[in-house]
Amino acid sequence: MVTYELRGDVALIGLNRPEKRNAISDRFVGEIEAAVLRARSEARAGVIHGHGKHFCAGLDLAEHVQKTPLQGVEGSRKWHDVFTLMEFGRIPWFCALHGAVVGGGLELASATHVRVADETAFFALPEGTRGIFVGGGGSVRAARLMGVARMTDMMLTGRSVDAETAERWNLVQYVVPEGRALEKAVELAARAATNADFSNYAVINALPRIQAMARDDGLFVESFISSFSATTPEAEERLRAFLEKRAGKVAAPGRS
Ligand code: 1HE
């Protein structure tokens, strides 16, 4: 159900259950977890994408109808564990979105750090119409990205939004022509993979935590992370490389 490929320093995880629109079953979540753990051990950045016409149709509804309340809670907690492995892991995650990015599919995308959509992508949270609620971390992550008012609207009305709207709503950071999302996500991931590991770790682990802190606490913690990272041997070498004109300059937009 999951394809895995290592392209240089970038691990590509493909959701591969196109006949069911990449709907995520319990076994599927387990396979995503194994692939994420493998990527953490051998890659410096990762990309998640979907095979077939859609990124992901969310929770496997066929499996869900047979669950007891406790099994449902445990299932949701499992999604949380796996998505948290990505969100607060060691490497940054990018996702390439096309077609349906729906329900749990949007929750998975929200657990990655940078989202790239092509023009065919559409986003919806049809949980309300199915008589259920988000369970893959959406009420925390997706709500934080787009804001509670928009998420409430999506969940109450079943509204579907296109890629351009999703970008305006901060659900995605890049919109590219049809069929180009994977290529763009891999390009961005490869670029992130050249950063210092410590900086990437701090960006994905410290930045969201600082957002959850009081302002003064956040500033205080920032000083420590900043000083700690700047005194690593890798930072020293990278700073020296710039001063000795061995490292690239910052490029103006469009010229990188
Ligand atoms: C599925 C699922 C699924 C498709 N679970 N089997 N998610 C949803 O409510 C979205 C439900 N899916 C759809 O609205 C549509 O399938 C799509 C818009 C995503 C794609 O449409 P289309 O025309 O390309 O495909 P299709 O013909 O609807 O579906 C093809 C097959 O996939 C069909 O099975 P078949 O045996 O009849 O061929 C569908 O039943 C099956 N399929 N989506 C199971 N989701 C952790 S909490 C998260 C909560 C949620 O994610 S709620 C949102 C659930």
Side-chain angles (χ1 to χ4, degrees), residues 17-21 23-24 53-54 56-62 76 79 100 102-105 107 122 125-127 129-130 132-136:
R17 199 192 178 202
E19 70 286 0
K20 294 290 179 190
R21 307 308 183 244
I24 301 178
K53 278 195 330 187
H54 303 282
C56 176
L59 180 71
D60 184 332
L61 296 169
S76 167
W79 283 52
V102 166
E107 296 182 288
F122 59 98
L125 292 168
E127 281 82 351
T129 59
R130 310 277 180 239
I132 57 178
F133 190 67
V134 284

PDB file of all heavy atoms in Angstrom, residues 17-21 23-24 53-54 56-62 76 79 100 102-105 107 122 125-127 129-130 132-136, ligand 1:
ATOM      1  N   ARG A  17      -2.814   2.944  -2.959  1.00  0.00           N
ATOM      2  CA  ARG A  17      -4.038   2.137  -2.930  1.00  0.00           C
ATOM      3  C   ARG A  17      -5.066   2.856  -3.813  1.00  0.00           C
ATOM      4  O   ARG A  17      -6.155   3.217  -3.366  1.00  0.00           O
ATOM      5  CB  ARG A  17      -4.529   2.065  -1.477  1.00  0.00           C
ATOM      6  CG  ARG A  17      -5.482   0.954  -1.180  1.00  0.00           C
ATOM      7  CD  ARG A  17      -6.115   1.150   0.186  1.00  0.00           C
ATOM      8  NE  ARG A  17      -7.072   0.124   0.474  1.00  0.00           N
ATOM      9  CZ  ARG A  17      -8.058   0.255   1.368  1.00  0.00           C
ATOM     10  NH1 ARG A  17      -8.159   1.372   2.079  1.00  0.00           N
ATOM     11  NH2 ARG A  17      -8.913  -0.715   1.569  1.00  0.00           N
ATOM     12  N   PRO A  18      -4.664   3.085  -5.077  1.00  0.00           N
ATOM     13  CA  PRO A  18      -5.478   3.966  -5.921  1.00  0.00           C
ATOM     14  C   PRO A  18      -6.888   3.455  -6.161  1.00  0.00           C
ATOM     15  O   PRO A  18      -7.808   4.239  -6.363  1.00  0.00           O
ATOM     16  CB  PRO A  18      -4.677   4.040  -7.231  1.00  0.00           C
ATOM     17  CG  PRO A  18      -3.734   2.894  -7.203  1.00  0.00           C
ATOM     18  CD  PRO A  18      -3.457   2.595  -5.772  1.00  0.00           C
ATOM     19  N   GLU A  19      -7.077   2.113  -6.116  1.00  0.00           N
ATOM     20  CA  GLU A  19      -8.434   1.588  -6.374  1.00  0.00           C
ATOM     21  C   GLU A  19      -9.408   2.019  -5.283  1.00  0.00           C
ATOM     22  O   GLU A  19     -10.616   2.048  -5.493  1.00  0.00           O
ATOM     23  CB  GLU A  19      -8.396   0.058  -6.566  1.00  0.00           C
ATOM     24  CG  GLU A  19      -8.103  -0.778  -5.331  1.00  0.00           C
ATOM     25  CD  GLU A  19      -6.638  -0.756  -4.857  1.00  0.00           C
ATOM     26  OE1 GLU A  19      -5.801  -0.083  -5.487  1.00  0.00           O
ATOM     27  OE2 GLU A  19      -6.351  -1.397  -3.822  1.00  0.00           O
ATOM     28  N   LYS A  20      -8.885   2.363  -4.110  1.00  0.00           N
ATOM     29  CA  LYS A  20      -9.736   2.888  -3.022  1.00  0.00           C
ATOM     30  C   LYS A  20      -9.368   4.337  -2.730  1.00  0.00           C
ATOM     31  O   LYS A  20      -9.551   4.840  -1.624  1.00  0.00           O
ATOM     32  CB  LYS A  20      -9.579   2.030  -1.754  1.00  0.00           C
ATOM     33  CG  LYS A  20     -10.100   0.609  -1.886  1.00  0.00           C
ATOM     34  CD  LYS A  20     -11.628   0.579  -1.970  1.00  0.00           C
ATOM     35  CE  LYS A  20     -12.125  -0.864  -2.129  1.00  0.00           C
ATOM     36  NZ  LYS A  20     -13.570  -0.912  -2.445  1.00  0.00           N
ATOM     37  N   ARG A  21      -8.832   4.991  -3.735  1.00  0.00           N
ATOM     38  CA  ARG A  21      -8.484   6.428  -3.645  1.00  0.00           C
ATOM     39  C   ARG A  21      -7.551   6.721  -2.467  1.00  0.00           C
ATOM     40  O   ARG A  21      -7.644   7.745  -1.810  1.00  0.00           O
ATOM     41  CB  ARG A  21      -9.753   7.292  -3.571  1.00  0.00           C
ATOM     42  CG  ARG A  21     -10.773   7.026  -4.684  1.00  0.00           C
ATOM     43  CD  ARG A  21     -10.130   7.088  -6.065  1.00  0.00           C
ATOM     44  NE  ARG A  21     -11.103   6.896  -7.147  1.00  0.00           N
ATOM     45  CZ  ARG A  21     -11.091   5.871  -7.997  1.00  0.00           C
ATOM     46  NH1 ARG A  21     -10.169   4.924  -7.913  1.00  0.00           N
ATOM     47  NH2 ARG A  21     -11.976   5.798  -8.968  1.00  0.00           N
ATOM     48  N   ALA A  23      -7.538   5.552   0.427  1.00  0.00           N
ATOM     49  CA  ALA A  23      -8.201   5.604   1.743  1.00  0.00           C
ATOM     50  C   ALA A  23      -7.333   4.842   2.751  1.00  0.00           C
ATOM     51  O   ALA A  23      -6.794   3.776   2.448  1.00  0.00           O
ATOM     52  CB  ALA A  23      -9.589   4.989   1.656  1.00  0.00           C
ATOM     53  N   ILE A  24      -7.198   5.416   3.925  1.00  0.00           N
ATOM     54  CA  ILE A  24      -6.231   4.898   4.906  1.00  0.00           C
ATOM     55  C   ILE A  24      -6.887   3.935   5.897  1.00  0.00           C
ATOM     56  O   ILE A  24      -7.721   4.321   6.718  1.00  0.00           O
ATOM     57  CB  ILE A  24      -5.558   6.073   5.653  1.00  0.00           C
ATOM     58  CG1 ILE A  24      -4.832   6.982   4.650  1.00  0.00           C
ATOM     59  CG2 ILE A  24      -4.585   5.550   6.706  1.00  0.00           C
ATOM     60  CD1 ILE A  24      -4.168   8.200   5.283  1.00  0.00           C
ATOM     61  N   LYS A  53      -5.336   8.961  -9.193  1.00  0.00           N
ATOM     62  CA  LYS A  53      -5.955  10.255  -9.516  1.00  0.00           C
ATOM     63  C   LYS A  53      -6.037  11.215  -8.328  1.00  0.00           C
ATOM     64  O   LYS A  53      -6.345  12.387  -8.495  1.00  0.00           O
ATOM     65  CB  LYS A  53      -7.396  10.025 -10.020  1.00  0.00           C
ATOM     66  CG  LYS A  53      -7.493   9.642 -11.484  1.00  0.00           C
ATOM     67  CD  LYS A  53      -8.923   9.772 -12.044  1.00  0.00           C
ATOM     68  CE  LYS A  53     -10.028   9.554 -11.037  1.00  0.00           C
ATOM     69  NZ  LYS A  53     -11.377   9.497 -11.513  1.00  0.00           N
ATOM     70  N   HIS A  54      -5.833  10.672  -7.119  1.00  0.00           N
ATOM     71  CA  HIS A  54      -6.047  11.499  -5.921  1.00  0.00           C
ATOM     72  C   HIS A  54      -4.907  11.324  -4.924  1.00  0.00           C
ATOM     73  O   HIS A  54      -4.275  10.266  -4.877  1.00  0.00           O
ATOM     74  CB  HIS A  54      -7.354  11.091  -5.231  1.00  0.00           C
ATOM     75  CG  HIS A  54      -8.561  11.193  -6.119  1.00  0.00           C
ATOM     76  ND1 HIS A  54      -9.175  12.391  -6.407  1.00  0.00           N
ATOM     77  CD2 HIS A  54      -9.259  10.246  -6.799  1.00  0.00           C
ATOM     78  CE1 HIS A  54     -10.211  12.184  -7.209  1.00  0.00           C
ATOM     79  NE2 HIS A  54     -10.268  10.885  -7.476  1.00  0.00           N
ATOM     80  N   CYS A  56      -5.432  11.514  -1.412  1.00  0.00           N
ATOM     81  CA  CYS A  56      -5.952  10.620  -0.379  1.00  0.00           C
ATOM     82  C   CYS A  56      -7.399  10.964  -0.022  1.00  0.00           C
ATOM     83  O   CYS A  56      -7.721  12.118   0.255  1.00  0.00           O
ATOM     84  CB  CYS A  56      -5.072  10.717   0.861  1.00  0.00           C
ATOM     85  SG  CYS A  56      -5.667   9.741   2.259  1.00  0.00           S
ATOM     86  N   ALA A  57      -8.261   9.923   0.007  1.00  0.00           N
ATOM     87  CA  ALA A  57      -9.690  10.097   0.334  1.00  0.00           C
ATOM     88  C   ALA A  57      -9.956  10.000   1.826  1.00  0.00           C
ATOM     89  O   ALA A  57     -11.109   9.897   2.244  1.00  0.00           O
ATOM     90  CB  ALA A  57     -10.520   9.066  -0.414  1.00  0.00           C
ATOM     91  N   GLY A  58      -8.889  10.000   2.649  1.00  0.00           N
ATOM     92  CA  GLY A  58      -9.090  10.019   4.106  1.00  0.00           C
ATOM     93  C   GLY A  58      -9.221   8.636   4.704  1.00  0.00           C
ATOM     94  O   GLY A  58      -8.759   7.640   4.146  1.00  0.00           O
ATOM     95  N   LEU A  59      -9.888   8.612   5.816  1.00  0.00           N
ATOM     96  CA  LEU A  59     -10.104   7.368   6.563  1.00  0.00           C
ATOM     97  C   LEU A  59     -10.807   6.326   5.700  1.00  0.00           C
ATOM     98  O   LEU A  59     -11.714   6.667   4.929  1.00  0.00           O
ATOM     99  CB  LEU A  59     -10.994   7.715   7.768  1.00  0.00           C
ATOM    100  CG  LEU A  59     -11.388   6.602   8.720  1.00  0.00           C
ATOM    101  CD1 LEU A  59     -10.171   6.162   9.541  1.00  0.00           C
ATOM    102  CD2 LEU A  59     -12.485   7.110   9.661  1.00  0.00           C
ATOM    103  N   ASP A  60     -10.405   5.060   5.852  1.00  0.00           N
ATOM    104  CA  ASP A  60     -11.113   3.973   5.173  1.00  0.00           C
ATOM    105  C   ASP A  60     -12.458   3.774   5.863  1.00  0.00           C
ATOM    106  O   ASP A  60     -12.541   3.183   6.942  1.00  0.00           O
ATOM    107  CB  ASP A  60     -10.279   2.683   5.242  1.00  0.00           C
ATOM    108  CG  ASP A  60     -10.931   1.557   4.459  1.00  0.00           C
ATOM    109  OD1 ASP A  60     -12.179   1.548   4.331  1.00  0.00           O
ATOM    110  OD2 ASP A  60     -10.195   0.683   3.972  1.00  0.00           O
ATOM    111  N   LEU A  61     -13.505   4.288   5.228  1.00  0.00           N
ATOM    112  CA  LEU A  61     -14.830   4.280   5.865  1.00  0.00           C
ATOM    113  C   LEU A  61     -15.367   2.859   5.997  1.00  0.00           C
ATOM    114  O   LEU A  61     -16.123   2.562   6.918  1.00  0.00           O
ATOM    115  CB  LEU A  61     -15.796   5.161   5.064  1.00  0.00           C
ATOM    116  CG  LEU A  61     -15.412   6.657   5.040  1.00  0.00           C
ATOM    117  CD1 LEU A  61     -16.258   7.416   4.020  1.00  0.00           C
ATOM    118  CD2 LEU A  61     -15.551   7.283   6.419  1.00  0.00           C
ATOM    119  N   ALA A  62     -14.962   1.966   5.086  1.00  0.00           N
ATOM    120  CA  ALA A  62     -15.454   0.586   5.146  1.00  0.00           C
ATOM    121  C   ALA A  62     -14.995  -0.081   6.437  1.00  0.00           C
ATOM    122  O   ALA A  62     -15.740  -0.824   7.076  1.00  0.00           O
ATOM    123  CB  ALA A  62     -14.943  -0.192   3.942  1.00  0.00           C
ATOM    124  N   SER A  76      -7.641   6.428  16.298  1.00  0.00           N
ATOM    125  CA  SER A  76      -7.307   7.847  16.194  1.00  0.00           C
ATOM    126  C   SER A  76      -5.963   8.133  16.856  1.00  0.00           C
ATOM    127  O   SER A  76      -5.127   8.862  16.308  1.00  0.00           O
ATOM    128  CB  SER A  76      -8.421   8.668  16.864  1.00  0.00           C
ATOM    129  OG  SER A  76      -8.018   9.996  17.065  1.00  0.00           O
ATOM    130  N   TRP A  79      -3.143   7.193  14.567  1.00  0.00           N
ATOM    131  CA  TRP A  79      -2.895   8.238  13.559  1.00  0.00           C
ATOM    132  C   TRP A  79      -2.085   9.364  14.188  1.00  0.00           C
ATOM    133  O   TRP A  79      -1.126   9.869  13.608  1.00  0.00           O
ATOM    134  CB  TRP A  79      -4.219   8.823  13.038  1.00  0.00           C
ATOM    135  CG  TRP A  79      -4.964   7.985  12.042  1.00  0.00           C
ATOM    136  CD1 TRP A  79      -5.320   6.673  12.174  1.00  0.00           C
ATOM    137  CD2 TRP A  79      -5.478   8.408  10.773  1.00  0.00           C
ATOM    138  NE1 TRP A  79      -6.024   6.266  11.066  1.00  0.00           N
ATOM    139  CE2 TRP A  79      -6.140   7.311  10.197  1.00  0.00           C
ATOM    140  CE3 TRP A  79      -5.465   9.618  10.075  1.00  0.00           C
ATOM    141  CZ2 TRP A  79      -6.768   7.377   8.953  1.00  0.00           C
ATOM    142  CZ3 TRP A  79      -6.088   9.698   8.829  1.00  0.00           C
ATOM    143  CH2 TRP A  79      -6.728   8.580   8.270  1.00  0.00           C
ATOM    144  N   ALA A 100      -8.220  14.626  -4.828  1.00  0.00           N
ATOM    145  CA  ALA A 100      -8.848  14.763  -3.505  1.00  0.00           C
ATOM    146  C   ALA A 100      -7.805  14.777  -2.382  1.00  0.00           C
ATOM    147  O   ALA A 100      -6.935  13.915  -2.321  1.00  0.00           O
ATOM    148  CB  ALA A 100      -9.834  13.611  -3.296  1.00  0.00           C
ATOM    149  N   VAL A 102      -8.725  14.925   1.212  1.00  0.00           N
ATOM    150  CA  VAL A 102     -10.008  14.944   1.891  1.00  0.00           C
ATOM    151  C   VAL A 102      -9.926  14.284   3.263  1.00  0.00           C
ATOM    152  O   VAL A 102      -9.256  13.265   3.416  1.00  0.00           O
ATOM    153  CB  VAL A 102     -11.034  14.199   0.979  1.00  0.00           C
ATOM    154  CG1 VAL A 102     -12.289  13.872   1.725  1.00  0.00           C
ATOM    155  CG2 VAL A 102     -11.348  15.031  -0.259  1.00  0.00           C
ATOM    156  N   GLY A 103     -10.614  14.854   4.236  1.00  0.00           N
ATOM    157  CA  GLY A 103     -10.682  14.252   5.565  1.00  0.00           C
ATOM    158  C   GLY A 103      -9.286  13.944   6.093  1.00  0.00           C
ATOM    159  O   GLY A 103      -8.429  14.826   6.205  1.00  0.00           O
ATOM    160  N   GLY A 104      -9.057  12.658   6.386  1.00  0.00           N
ATOM    161  CA  GLY A 104      -7.755  12.242   6.911  1.00  0.00           C
ATOM    162  C   GLY A 104      -6.605  12.534   5.961  1.00  0.00           C
ATOM    163  O   GLY A 104      -5.453  12.631   6.393  1.00  0.00           O
ATOM    164  N   GLY A 105      -6.909  12.683   4.675  1.00  0.00           N
ATOM    165  CA  GLY A 105      -5.859  13.055   3.713  1.00  0.00           C
ATOM    166  C   GLY A 105      -5.365  14.460   3.987  1.00  0.00           C
ATOM    167  O   GLY A 105      -4.158  14.740   3.922  1.00  0.00           O
ATOM    168  N   GLU A 107      -5.601  15.832   6.910  1.00  0.00           N
ATOM    169  CA  GLU A 107      -4.927  15.756   8.215  1.00  0.00           C
ATOM    170  C   GLU A 107      -3.471  15.280   8.044  1.00  0.00           C
ATOM    171  O   GLU A 107      -2.560  15.791   8.691  1.00  0.00           O
ATOM    172  CB  GLU A 107      -5.694  14.820   9.150  1.00  0.00           C
ATOM    173  CG  GLU A 107      -7.078  15.347   9.474  1.00  0.00           C
ATOM    174  CD  GLU A 107      -7.827  14.452  10.441  1.00  0.00           C
ATOM    175  OE1 GLU A 107      -8.250  13.354  10.022  1.00  0.00           O
ATOM    176  OE2 GLU A 107      -7.987  14.829  11.605  1.00  0.00           O
ATOM    177  N   PHE A 122      -8.183  19.400  -4.589  1.00  0.00           N
ATOM    178  CA  PHE A 122      -9.312  20.017  -3.876  1.00  0.00           C
ATOM    179  C   PHE A 122      -9.351  19.473  -2.457  1.00  0.00           C
ATOM    180  O   PHE A 122      -8.923  18.359  -2.183  1.00  0.00           O
ATOM    181  CB  PHE A 122     -10.645  19.823  -4.612  1.00  0.00           C
ATOM    182  CG  PHE A 122     -11.047  18.389  -4.854  1.00  0.00           C
ATOM    183  CD1 PHE A 122     -11.937  17.749  -4.002  1.00  0.00           C
ATOM    184  CD2 PHE A 122     -10.558  17.688  -5.949  1.00  0.00           C
ATOM    185  CE1 PHE A 122     -12.330  16.428  -4.225  1.00  0.00           C
ATOM    186  CE2 PHE A 122     -10.939  16.361  -6.184  1.00  0.00           C
ATOM    187  CZ  PHE A 122     -11.813  15.733  -5.326  1.00  0.00           C
ATOM    188  N   LEU A 125     -13.460  18.585   4.214  1.00  0.00           N
ATOM    189  CA  LEU A 125     -13.561  17.844   5.477  1.00  0.00           C
ATOM    190  C   LEU A 125     -15.002  17.342   5.598  1.00  0.00           C
ATOM    191  O   LEU A 125     -15.840  17.992   6.233  1.00  0.00           O
ATOM    192  CB  LEU A 125     -13.189  18.765   6.655  1.00  0.00           C
ATOM    193  CG  LEU A 125     -11.716  19.182   6.717  1.00  0.00           C
ATOM    194  CD1 LEU A 125     -11.506  20.306   7.729  1.00  0.00           C
ATOM    195  CD2 LEU A 125     -10.816  17.986   7.061  1.00  0.00           C
ATOM    196  N   PRO A 126     -15.304  16.204   4.928  1.00  0.00           N
ATOM    197  CA  PRO A 126     -16.698  15.744   4.870  1.00  0.00           C
ATOM    198  C   PRO A 126     -17.145  14.969   6.108  1.00  0.00           C
ATOM    199  O   PRO A 126     -18.182  14.309   6.080  1.00  0.00           O
ATOM    200  CB  PRO A 126     -16.688  14.834   3.638  1.00  0.00           C
ATOM    201  CG  PRO A 126     -15.302  14.302   3.573  1.00  0.00           C
ATOM    202  CD  PRO A 126     -14.393  15.348   4.168  1.00  0.00           C
ATOM    203  N   GLU A 127     -16.366  15.057   7.178  1.00  0.00           N
ATOM    204  CA  GLU A 127     -16.698  14.289   8.389  1.00  0.00           C
ATOM    205  C   GLU A 127     -18.137  14.516   8.835  1.00  0.00           C
ATOM    206  O   GLU A 127     -18.847  13.580   9.215  1.00  0.00           O
ATOM    207  CB  GLU A 127     -15.727  14.649   9.530  1.00  0.00           C
ATOM    208  CG  GLU A 127     -14.368  13.968   9.444  1.00  0.00           C
ATOM    209  CD  GLU A 127     -13.387  14.657   8.486  1.00  0.00           C
ATOM    210  OE1 GLU A 127     -13.792  15.575   7.741  1.00  0.00           O
ATOM    211  OE2 GLU A 127     -12.207  14.262   8.486  1.00  0.00           O
ATOM    212  N   THR A 129     -20.791  15.276   7.165  1.00  0.00           N
ATOM    213  CA  THR A 129     -21.776  14.568   6.335  1.00  0.00           C
ATOM    214  C   THR A 129     -21.727  13.063   6.577  1.00  0.00           C
ATOM    215  O   THR A 129     -22.688  12.360   6.304  1.00  0.00           O
ATOM    216  CB  THR A 129     -21.562  14.846   4.833  1.00  0.00           C
ATOM    217  OG1 THR A 129     -20.240  14.421   4.486  1.00  0.00           O
ATOM    218  CG2 THR A 129     -21.688  16.315   4.498  1.00  0.00           C
ATOM    219  N   ARG A 130     -20.609  12.567   7.081  1.00  0.00           N
ATOM    220  CA  ARG A 130     -20.495  11.113   7.366  1.00  0.00           C
ATOM    221  C   ARG A 130     -20.880  10.793   8.804  1.00  0.00           C
ATOM    222  O   ARG A 130     -20.757   9.652   9.253  1.00  0.00           O
ATOM    223  CB  ARG A 130     -19.056  10.628   7.141  1.00  0.00           C
ATOM    224  CG  ARG A 130     -18.455  11.030   5.820  1.00  0.00           C
ATOM    225  CD  ARG A 130     -18.834  10.111   4.673  1.00  0.00           C
ATOM    226  NE  ARG A 130     -18.202  10.577   3.443  1.00  0.00           N
ATOM    227  CZ  ARG A 130     -18.860  10.924   2.344  1.00  0.00           C
ATOM    228  NH1 ARG A 130     -20.171  10.833   2.304  1.00  0.00           N
ATOM    229  NH2 ARG A 130     -18.224  11.332   1.279  1.00  0.00           N
ATOM    230  N   ILE A 132     -19.262  11.769  11.493  1.00  0.00           N
ATOM    231  CA  ILE A 132     -18.091  11.559  12.349  1.00  0.00           C
ATOM    232  C   ILE A 132     -17.374  12.894  12.588  1.00  0.00           C
ATOM    233  O   ILE A 132     -17.909  13.957  12.264  1.00  0.00           O
ATOM    234  CB  ILE A 132     -17.134  10.498  11.758  1.00  0.00           C
ATOM    235  CG1 ILE A 132     -16.675  10.892  10.350  1.00  0.00           C
ATOM    236  CG2 ILE A 132     -17.813   9.140  11.722  1.00  0.00           C
ATOM    237  CD1 ILE A 132     -15.689   9.925   9.718  1.00  0.00           C
ATOM    238  N   PHE A 133     -16.192  12.835  13.160  1.00  0.00           N
ATOM    239  CA  PHE A 133     -15.415  14.036  13.473  1.00  0.00           C
ATOM    240  C   PHE A 133     -13.982  13.773  13.013  1.00  0.00           C
ATOM    241  O   PHE A 133     -13.608  12.619  12.832  1.00  0.00           O
ATOM    242  CB  PHE A 133     -15.459  14.280  14.994  1.00  0.00           C
ATOM    243  CG  PHE A 133     -14.903  15.616  15.437  1.00  0.00           C
ATOM    244  CD1 PHE A 133     -15.539  16.806  15.105  1.00  0.00           C
ATOM    245  CD2 PHE A 133     -13.734  15.681  16.197  1.00  0.00           C
ATOM    246  CE1 PHE A 133     -15.030  18.040  15.517  1.00  0.00           C
ATOM    247  CE2 PHE A 133     -13.222  16.909  16.616  1.00  0.00           C
ATOM    248  CZ  PHE A 133     -13.870  18.088  16.273  1.00  0.00           C
ATOM    249  N   VAL A 134     -13.209  14.807  12.839  1.00  0.00           N
ATOM    250  CA  VAL A 134     -11.799  14.577  12.498  1.00  0.00           C
ATOM    251  C   VAL A 134     -11.139  13.769  13.619  1.00  0.00           C
ATOM    252  O   VAL A 134     -11.477  13.940  14.794  1.00  0.00           O
ATOM    253  CB  VAL A 134     -11.022  15.913  12.302  1.00  0.00           C
ATOM    254  CG1 VAL A 134     -11.337  16.552  10.975  1.00  0.00           C
ATOM    255  CG2 VAL A 134     -11.258  16.882  13.443  1.00  0.00           C
ATOM    256  N   GLY A 135     -10.196  12.895  13.260  1.00  0.00           N
ATOM    257  CA  GLY A 135      -9.547  12.065  14.280  1.00  0.00           C
ATOM    258  C   GLY A 135      -8.064  11.895  14.021  1.00  0.00           C
ATOM    259  O   GLY A 135      -7.376  11.196  14.753  1.00  0.00           O
ATOM    260  N   GLY A 136      -7.570  12.530  12.974  1.00  0.00           N
ATOM    261  CA  GLY A 136      -6.150  12.382  12.637  1.00  0.00           C
ATOM    262  C   GLY A 136      -5.358  13.641  12.945  1.00  0.00           C
ATOM    263  O   GLY A 136      -4.359  13.927  12.279  1.00  0.00           O
TER     264      GLY A 136
HETATM  265  C1  1HE B   1     -13.362   4.627  -0.282  1.00  0.00           C
HETATM  266  C2  1HE B   1     -13.102   5.899   0.279  1.00  0.00           C
HETATM  267  C3  1HE B   1     -12.948   5.984   1.688  1.00  0.00           C
HETATM  268  C4  1HE B   1     -13.260   6.128  -1.864  1.00  0.00           C
HETATM  269  N1  1HE B   1     -13.063   4.845   2.409  1.00  0.00           N
HETATM  270  N2  1HE B   1     -13.474   3.534   0.476  1.00  0.00           N
HETATM  271  N3  1HE B   1     -13.617  10.437   3.247  1.00  0.00           N
HETATM  272  C5  1HE B   1     -14.654  10.744   2.452  1.00  0.00           C
HETATM  273  O1  1HE B   1     -15.763  10.929   2.884  1.00  0.00           O
HETATM  274  C6  1HE B   1     -14.356  10.773   0.980  1.00  0.00           C
HETATM  275  C7  1HE B   1     -15.080   9.656   0.281  1.00  0.00           C
HETATM  276  N4  1HE B   1     -14.636   9.524  -1.097  1.00  0.00           N
HETATM  277  C8  1HE B   1     -15.096  10.330  -2.100  1.00  0.00           C
HETATM  278  O2  1HE B   1     -15.794  11.314  -1.883  1.00  0.00           O
HETATM  279  C9  1HE B   1     -14.640   9.990  -3.485  1.00  0.00           C
HETATM  280  O3  1HE B   1     -14.272   8.615  -3.503  1.00  0.00           O
HETATM  281  C10 1HE B   1     -13.433  10.828  -4.001  1.00  0.00           C
HETATM  282  C11 1HE B   1     -13.911  12.277  -4.252  1.00  0.00           C
HETATM  283  C12 1HE B   1     -12.267  10.826  -3.010  1.00  0.00           C
HETATM  284  C13 1HE B   1     -12.920  10.209  -5.315  1.00  0.00           C
HETATM  285  O4  1HE B   1     -14.006  10.075  -6.247  1.00  0.00           O
HETATM  286  P1  1HE B   1     -13.832   9.043  -7.474  1.00  0.00           P
HETATM  287  O5  1HE B   1     -15.064   9.221  -8.344  1.00  0.00           O
HETATM  288  O6  1HE B   1     -12.500   9.194  -8.104  1.00  0.00           O
HETATM  289  O7  1HE B   1     -13.835   7.555  -6.821  1.00  0.00           O
HETATM  290  P2  1HE B   1     -15.068   6.674  -6.276  1.00  0.00           P
HETATM  291  O8  1HE B   1     -15.750   5.989  -7.419  1.00  0.00           O
HETATM  292  O9  1HE B   1     -15.940   7.449  -5.363  1.00  0.00           O
HETATM  293  O10 1HE B   1     -14.330   5.599  -5.351  1.00  0.00           O
HETATM  294  C14 1HE B   1     -13.571   4.523  -5.901  1.00  0.00           C
HETATM  295  C15 1HE B   1     -13.554   3.422  -4.864  1.00  0.00           C
HETATM  296  O11 1HE B   1     -12.881   3.888  -3.694  1.00  0.00           O
HETATM  297  C16 1HE B   1     -14.965   3.043  -4.389  1.00  0.00           C
HETATM  298  O12 1HE B   1     -14.916   1.668  -4.050  1.00  0.00           O
HETATM  299  P3  1HE B   1     -15.533   0.534  -5.077  1.00  0.00           P
HETATM  300  O13 1HE B   1     -15.286  -0.763  -4.357  1.00  0.00           O
HETATM  301  O14 1HE B   1     -16.971   0.896  -5.256  1.00  0.00           O
HETATM  302  O15 1HE B   1     -14.750   0.668  -6.359  1.00  0.00           O
HETATM  303  C17 1HE B   1     -15.137   3.832  -3.113  1.00  0.00           C
HETATM  304  O16 1HE B   1     -16.056   3.241  -2.216  1.00  0.00           O
HETATM  305  C18 1HE B   1     -13.731   3.748  -2.548  1.00  0.00           C
HETATM  306  N5  1HE B   1     -13.447   4.815  -1.604  1.00  0.00           N
HETATM  307  N6  1HE B   1     -13.051   6.827  -0.731  1.00  0.00           N
HETATM  308  C19 1HE B   1     -13.324   3.675   1.795  1.00  0.00           C
HETATM  309  N7  1HE B   1     -12.681   7.144   2.313  1.00  0.00           N
HETATM  310  C20 1HE B   1      -8.812   9.820  11.254  1.00  0.00           C
HETATM  311  S1  1HE B   1     -10.340  10.511  11.067  1.00  0.00           S
HETATM  312  C21 1HE B   1     -10.480  11.019   9.419  1.00  0.00           C
HETATM  313  C22 1HE B   1     -11.920  11.119   9.051  1.00  0.00           C
HETATM  314  C23 1HE B   1     -12.097  11.130   7.582  1.00  0.00           C
HETATM  315  O17 1HE B   1     -11.170  10.989   6.830  1.00  0.00           O
HETATM  316  S2  1HE B   1     -13.675  11.394   7.048  1.00  0.00           S
HETATM  317  C24 1HE B   1     -13.548  11.558   5.346  1.00  0.00           C
HETATM  318  C25 1HE B   1     -13.711  10.248   4.653  1.00  0.00           C
END
